[in-house]
DNA sequence: ATAAACTTTCATTTTTTATTGAAAATTCAA
DNA sequence: TTGAATTTTCAATAAAAAATGAAAGTTTAT
């Protein structure tokens, strides 16, 4: 397998994985491409490599910037913007955990808290409350896990974590 | 807020969360409905409550059965099938972790292993290999985490885990 | 101020995914 | 067996999401 083949293979796989996690394929592919690019690259290079339109490239680049997964680089005497990916994969994991927590987990926790305060007159209501409370625990666990990842500045903390389960 | 309002609120929220995680809305709504139903319910009740077609209900019920998140119950003297959800939320988490690991993480690990064996003649190839190796570590971490959840038969193990990060 | 280089926006089109509903298949009681 | 009750399938349709590309907007050098 040549280097180029390997690169394409990786970009494709990463894109496929992403769609299963509710992230759009192109965004993941651009991210993959930038992760394996030694040098920052510009919009046209991305368009050409991935065979996508300018608008599409731009939109997804903007999203990746929002997520803090890639950065712009300005070259002296160049008008174009070049992009490069965060290369520290632990930082990527933290960034993603942080965003997903904010966008997804936090709102659900809020709804669950609201639902806990219904009147528990009937047995049915009590049953409902029990289910909600149980779910809260699992969501809380997920939330704690994400927080742990977010706050894990050091790798050793991660390895500590892994030890617990071995 | 009445019990019915709370129920609807929960079903809706759970559906919204699911779409962000690459799970279809209806499947999550059916699951939510069954989780908060004290009694097993039949296809018609699901169709009516969620305002969906028979085909749609059937398809998503089958998927939920595949995932091991719900069960069939046969009532004596009744032809219809009634469905009920797994009520142990830790078991749900384990089930989901197991399925996602099998369907998503394992294939990616395989691809990454393949990509590690390219020839490292050029500096470019070595750089590529480094990125792939780093990504493998993170994916491996995710895989270990899922495994930990899968194998956590006891709740205290989870609480041990949580302690590490507090 | 102008224009070239480049980026962003967004109405339209394409693609993908989910849903419908009616027909076919299955199950079971009589 | 027949047929009524119920489940499953699947081609057609609808809805949602992503992508296009051309036009509008910005920035910078001159």
């Amino acid at each position: 397998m040549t280097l180029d083949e390997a690169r394409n293979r990786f970009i494709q796989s990463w894109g496929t994985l992403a769609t299963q996690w509710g992230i759009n394929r192109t965004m993941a592919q651009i991210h993959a491409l930038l992760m394996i690019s030694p040098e920052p690259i510009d919009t046209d290079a991305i368009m050409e490599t991935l065979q996508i339109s300018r608008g599409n490239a731009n939109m997804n680049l903007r999203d990746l910037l929002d997520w803090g997964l890639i950065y712009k680089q300005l070259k002296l005497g160049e008008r174009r913007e070049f992009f490069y990916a965060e290369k520290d994969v632990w930082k990527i994991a933290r960034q993603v955990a942080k965003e997903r927590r904010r966008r997804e987990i936090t709102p659900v926790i809020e709804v669950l808290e609201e639902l806990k305060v219904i009147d528990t007159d009937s047995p049915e209501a009590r049953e409902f409350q029990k289910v909600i409370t149980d779910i809260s625990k699992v969501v809380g666990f997920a939330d704690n896990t994400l927080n742990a990842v977010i706050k894990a500045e050091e790798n050793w903390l991660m390895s500590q974590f892994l030890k617990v389960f071995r």
Side-chain angles (χ1 to χ4, degrees), chain A residues 2-66:
Chain A
T2 69
L3 182 56
D4 273 356
E5 278 166 359
R7 280 186 167 144
N8 289 334
R9 191 82 199 285
F10 174 65
I11 291 169
Q12 285 312 120
S13 303
W14 208 244
T16 305
L17 179 68
T19 54
Q20 289 169 323
W21 283 88
I23 292 155
N24 90 47
R25 213 181 71 251
T26 307
M27 183 166 147
Q29 287 183 339
I30 294 177
H31 186 230
L33 174 59
L34 291 177
M35 276 197 288
I36 59 177
S37 296
E39 296 298 317
I41 57 182
D42 70 1
T43 304
D44 287 76
I46 291 164
M47 286 164 59
E48 201 177 324
T49 309
L50 302 180
Q51 291 292 304
I52 57 172
S53 72
R54 186 170 300 283
N56 193 11
N58 182 267
M59 210 188 87
N60 285 295
L61 283 168
R62 192 153 43 69
D63 283 351
L64 285 166
L65 289 167
D66 281 352

Side-chain angles (χ1 to χ4, degrees), chain A residues 77-91:
Chain A
E78 277 275 20
R79 194 73 146 286
R80 280 168 301 166
E81 292 173 330
F82 289 77
F83 301 91
Y84 63 100
E86 175 58 55
K87 286 285 166 64
D88 177 344
V89 280
W90 287 109
K91 200 166 174 183

Side-chain angles (χ1 to χ4, degrees), chain A residues 53-157:
Chain A
S53 72
R54 186 170 300 283
N56 193 11
N58 182 267
M59 210 188 87
N60 285 295
L61 283 168
R62 192 153 43 69
D63 283 351
L64 285 166
L65 289 167
D66 281 352
W67 277 70
L69 297 178
I70 66 171
Y71 308 104
K72 281 183 186 179
Q73 174 158 97
L74 300 169
K75 285 195 188 177
L76 273 169
E78 277 275 20
R79 194 73 146 286
R80 280 168 301 166
E81 292 173 330
F82 289 77
F83 301 91
Y84 63 100
E86 175 58 55
K87 286 285 166 64
D88 177 344
V89 280
W90 287 109
K91 200 166 174 183
I92 294 172
R94 283 204 295 280
Q95 209 67 275
V96 171
K98 197 172 173 180
E99 279 298 309
R100 296 205 82 135
R101 177 175 189 270
R102 185 175 68 74
R103 298 183 190 195
E104 296 157 23
I105 306 293
T106 308
V108 169
I109 288 175
E110 276 166 22
V111 171
L112 289 172
E113 286 307 315
E114 259 185 74
L115 299 181
K116 274 181 193 166
V117 301
I118 58 160
D119 293 334
T120 49
D121 297 337
S122 63
E124 276 206 318
R126 266 194 297 282
E127 165 106 19
F128 177 76
Q129 202 171 43
K130 190 185 171 312
V131 174
I132 294 296
T133 305
D134 283 352
I135 291 167
S136 284
K137 283 180 193 159
V138 176
V139 174
F141 169 68
D143 191 42
N144 278 319
T145 307
L146 288 182
N147 264 323
V149 174
I150 292 164
K151 287 182 185 137
E153 294 289 334
E154 309 288 336
N155 275 8
W156 72 261
L157 196 50

